[in-house]
Amino acid sequence: MPFTVIIPARFASTRFPGKPLADIAGKPMVVRVAKQASKSGAREVLIATDHAEIARVVEAHGFEAVMTRSDHATGTDRIAEVARKRGFKASHIVVNVQGDEPLIPPALIRSVAASLATHRDAAIATACHAIKSAAEFANPNVVKVVLDNAGYALYFSRATIPYARDAFANAIHTLPPQLPAYRHLGIYAYRCGFLNKFNQLKPATVEQFEALEQLRAMAHGYRISVAITRSAPHPGIDTPEDLKRLLRQFAK
């Protein structure tokens, strides 16, 4: 199952400028991510960046950087540019690994690639894990996904789906034991043929209300397979405070 990992690494960040170069126990964050990705079985790991210093640091640690335009609206657009530059075939699988997840499990990366490889009708694959907490289930910042029997996504939402009518008649205090409640994880695998089409798709109304980009693909008839993982990976680093918490964990 050949696949490529592409890690978008943008220097400019509203909440944490220069985040990819933040030091984590002697190594830049983006290098930590690349090292985890290199253990996934990927054919190659590429860092997509618009910043010369990020490219220099990445290559100094033995990884390959690909320079991209600086005006991309999303990380998906950035990895699509890399896929075109590399001349990947339409059937080739690319996994988009966020550059701020230095503890991402290599097995998670591989499972998403494998999900796309085995679900021939899918253009995209992603991942989820079971929700056990009622508070997490009710949180609109937690994206939920409902699956069909074959492992394809039926819908993604910030709402409490699937909704247990009887159990939640008064309030959501606890989750029924058999409720298939899953939290979506923000990792994606794509077939390159779809990557070349995605930015040409008209945004969907439901996508704009939910603020979930993957709903655009579904609205246009593309299927998304979902790998179920046993547990949630360590959250990404969005702010300097997040980094401080991670450094305390490394110190232990």
Side-chain angles (χ1 to χ4, degrees), residues 128-138 142 144 168 172-183 228-232:
C128 69
H129 70 83
I131 297 175
K132 303 297 184 182
S133 159
E136 184 179 15
F137 188 59
V142 172
K144 276 70 71 174
F168 300 157
I172 302 176
H173 295 301
T174 59
L175 302 184
Q178 301 303 317
L179 184 71
Y182 293 108
R183 178 174 187 159
I228 300 174
T229 67
R230 291 186 177 183
S231 60

Side-chain angles (χ1 to χ4, degrees), residues 82-165:
V82 174
R84 287 192 296 271
K85 283 185 172 181
R86 304 291 288 203
F88 293 149
K89 293 181 179 179
S91 59
H92 187 61
I93 293 173
V94 165
V95 182
N96 180 358
V97 173
Q98 297 302 313
D100 58 5
E101 297 189 25
L103 296 179
I104 187 167
L108 174 60
I109 299 171
R110 183 168 182 81
S111 70
V112 172
S115 178
L116 188 55
T118 56
H119 290 77
R120 300 288 183 178
D121 293 337
I124 308 171
T126 188
C128 69
H129 70 83
I131 297 175
K132 303 297 184 182
S133 159
E136 184 179 15
F137 188 59
N139 185 347
N141 293 318
V142 172
V143 178
K144 276 70 71 174
V145 59
V146 175
L147 311 179
D148 69 12
N149 290 338
Y152 291 94
L154 290 172
Y155 191 64
F156 296 85
S157 182
R158 299 180 184 279
T160 50
I161 60 170
Y163 190 83
R165 185 195 62 179

Side-chain angles (χ1 to χ4, degrees), residues 22-86:
D23 183 83
I24 300 177
K27 290 185 175 63
M29 185 186 304
V30 67
V31 173
R32 290 275 181 193
V33 178
K35 284 183 173 293
Q36 291 296 95
S38 68
K39 302 173 187 175
S40 68
R43 184 178 73 181
E44 57 186 342
V45 176
L46 306 173
I47 290 79
T49 186
D50 59 355
H51 195 271
E53 180 62 12
I54 292 176
R56 187 193 68 77
V57 167
V58 161
E59 291 175 350
H61 283 83
F63 292 98
E64 184 175 357
V66 180
M67 296 301 296
T68 62
R69 302 198 327 257
S70 60
D71 59 348
H72 286 303
T74 67
T76 307
D77 294 326
R78 195 175 303 280
I79 68 170
E81 180 185 349
V82 174
R84 287 192 296 271
K85 283 185 172 181
R86 304 291 288 203

